[in-house]
């Protein structure tokens, strides 16, 4: 039975924190608020105090534990590699076990754990988008205002699609003999908000002649439930996805979402040995494309006379796992792209799963810094490898009054590839 670690099982990691403060320079939330309770060593001290029975889950403790993006930036820079995001997530699960989930957390758990309900809600949102969504001016990137509970007025989000991506495509797309077979883990963002990214994914793999399996019964990777502290929902989803992704024999499981890649490739891998083969097969789309010769094929395409100036944002869930060069390699190979590196490309955009719902003002502050770096780069587009980051980046750009658009690299890749 798949199980996430509880807080007690992370005691050894907690005790590895020597309170050196290296995390302060790299925590986006500390950068926004400059309060000790917001930084990694403060949260680890709280987790230890909870374990030792020195404090309970009073309001101040709950607030400090909620002020974490789970981005992993602190761990990447920590001399002892203390996994703060795992510790905070475990503390949130313990809180939920002792006091129950918040009302929003209950909603997250209920919807993610019931894919049929999720489908129905997405379709309703798409069909009624003319009533439920208010358009912003053209110069804001045609984003839409979604007046949902827990979301601040003025926040911009994409509309839900009236027909999820997985309902638009067959479960099996045959490729060429001798080419690998991959399972496409679509994730929720592509399935419900950005189906065009899914179509671009298919075009890229068809170009390479790959056989593609798109399991209809796959579910959310569980990262929003991790953020909300809904441990049993994460475990349920992991079991469901394990069954869906191993029903047919595949060589790889490929993701086009940084969070999904971390969910299957990292979090699932720590939940039991039955998940290890699946985690080892899981690859980010640009790692897969780079390993299968796509940059060389792109180099043979004629360069466009007029090229788009594009910069890149590193999603935290890829950057902290060492996946940084492959997305840039693909971008630099595109014939219609002039790639420019922006300052602090690897800093968090401020989404953080449910963080941006509970703490939108801080999320906006973090996003504003990123929007400034995008503007300073002189780029027309900011490309990334995560639907959640696209949503957050576009909102940050819109709030700053910018004209840049946030896109997935796959969309630029699909535009460059010939139609077959």
């Amino acid at each position: 039975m798949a199980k996430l670690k509880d807080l007690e099982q992370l005691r050894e990691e907690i005790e590895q924190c020597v309170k050196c403060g290296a995390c302060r320079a790299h925590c986006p939330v500390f950068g926004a608020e400059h309060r000790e309770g917001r930084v990694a060593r403060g949260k680890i001290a709280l987790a230890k105090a909870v374990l030792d029975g020195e404090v309970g889950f009073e309001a101040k403790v709950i607030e400090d534990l909620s002020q974490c993006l789970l981005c992993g930036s602190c761990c990447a820079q920590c001399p002892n590699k203390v996994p703060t995001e795992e510790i905070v997530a475990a503390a949130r699960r313990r809180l939920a076990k002792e006091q129950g989930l918040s009302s929003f957390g209950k909603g997250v758990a209920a919807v993610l754990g019931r894919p049929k309900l999720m489908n129905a809600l997405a379709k309703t949102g798409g069909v009624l988008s003319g009533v439920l969504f208010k358009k912003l001016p053209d110069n804001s990137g045609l984003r839409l205002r979604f007046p949902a509970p827990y979301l601040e007025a003025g926040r911009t989000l994409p509309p839900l699609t009236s027909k999820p991506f997985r309902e638009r495509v067959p479960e099996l797309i045959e490729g060429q003999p001798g080419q690998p077979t991959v399972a496409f883990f679509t994730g929720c963002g592509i399935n419900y908000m950005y189906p065009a990214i899914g179509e671009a994914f298919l075009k890229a793999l068809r170009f390479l002649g790959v056989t593609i399996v798109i399991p209809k019964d796959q579910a959310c990777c569980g990262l929003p439930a991790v953020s909300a502290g809904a441990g049993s929902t994460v475990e349920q989803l992991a079991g469901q996805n394990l069954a869906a992704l191993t029903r047919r024999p595949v060589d790889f499981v490929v993701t086009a979402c940084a969070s999904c890649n971390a969910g299957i490739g990292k979090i699932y891998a720590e939940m039991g040995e039955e998940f290890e083969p699946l985690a080892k097969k899981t690859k980010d789309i640009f790692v897969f494309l780079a390993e299968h010769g796509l940059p060389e094929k792109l180099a043979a395409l004629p360069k466009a006379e007029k090229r788009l100036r594009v910069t890149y944002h590193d999603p935290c869930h890829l950057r902290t796992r060492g996946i940084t060069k492959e997305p840039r390699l693909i971008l630099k190979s595109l014939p219609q792209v002039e790639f420019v590196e922006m300052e602090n490309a690897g800093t968090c955009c401020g989404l953080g799963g449910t963080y941006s719902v509970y703490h939108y003002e801080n999320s906006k502050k973090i996003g504003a810094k990123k929007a400034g770096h995008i503007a300073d780069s002189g780029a027309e587009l900011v490309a990334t490898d995560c639907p959640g980051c696209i949503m957050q980046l576009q909102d940050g750009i819109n709030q700053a009054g910018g004209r840049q658009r946030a896109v997935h690299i796959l969309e630029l890749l699909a535009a460059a590839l010939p139609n077959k």
Side-chain angles (χ1 to χ4, degrees), residues 99-183:
Q99 296 190 10
L101 290 166
S102 68
S103 56
F104 183 75
K106 288 176 182 176
V108 168
V111 174
L112 296 186
R114 298 169 64 190
K116 288 183 179 179
L117 173 61
M118 201 167 177
N119 267 356
L121 290 174
K123 288 177 180 178
T124 302
V127 169
L128 299 179
S129 61
V131 177
L132 296 176
F133 296 94
K134 180 180 177 182
K135 287 191 176 181
L136 293 173
D138 289 350
N139 63 7
S140 70
L142 293 178
R143 310 315 290 171
L144 300 172
R145 182 177 288 135
F146 182 52
Y150 304 100
L151 295 179
E152 297 286 339
R155 181 170 187 171
T156 55
L157 290 173
L160 296 173
T161 178
S162 58
K163 188 173 185 180
F165 171 75
R166 291 197 297 269
E167 293 186 11
R168 304 178 184 210
V169 294
E171 190 162 17
L172 177 66
I173 301 172
E174 293 283 0
Q176 299 168 5
Q179 294 300 319
T181 297
V182 308

Side-chain angles (χ1 to χ4, degrees), residues 186-326:
T186 67
C188 300
I190 291 173
N191 194 44
Y192 296 114
M193 291 191 294
Y194 297 107
I197 297 173
E199 296 292 349
F201 179 102
L202 298 185
K203 186 174 183 180
L205 291 196
R206 282 180 179 136
F207 181 75
L208 293 178
V210 172
T211 292
I212 310 162
V213 178
I214 311 168
K216 299 290 186 184
D217 53 344
Q218 62 180 280
C220 174
C221 68
L223 262 290
V226 171
S227 182
S232 60
T233 300
V234 180
E235 292 162 0
Q236 173 200 331
L237 294 169
Q240 184 173 340
N241 285 323
L242 177 65
L245 295 168
T246 57
R247 195 175 64 254
R248 295 175 186 260
V250 298
D251 300 299
F252 303 99
V253 174
V254 182
T255 65
C257 170
S259 297
C260 294
N261 186 273
I264 302 173
K266 181 177 184 291
I267 292 177
Y268 287 14
E270 297 166 353
M271 291 173 66
E273 61 183 17
E274 69 267 36
F275 289 95
E276 290 175 6
L278 175 63
K280 287 178 181 176
K281 283 184 177 183
T282 300
K283 285 187 180 287
D284 171 70
I285 178 62
F286 298 110
V287 173
F288 178 86
L289 293 175
E291 289 177 350
H292 288 80
L294 186 67
E296 293 78 8
K297 294 179 185 296
L298 291 172
L301 298 175
K303 289 287 184 183
E305 289 185 14
K306 186 177 181 181
R307 292 190 285 165
L308 291 164
R309 194 172 172 86
V310 182
T311 193
Y312 177 67
H313 161 73
D314 287 282
C316 296
H317 284 131
L318 293 186
R319 173 179 50 79
T320 55
R321 303 187 71 223
I323 301 172
T324 59
K325 67 175 189 269
E326 294 87 354

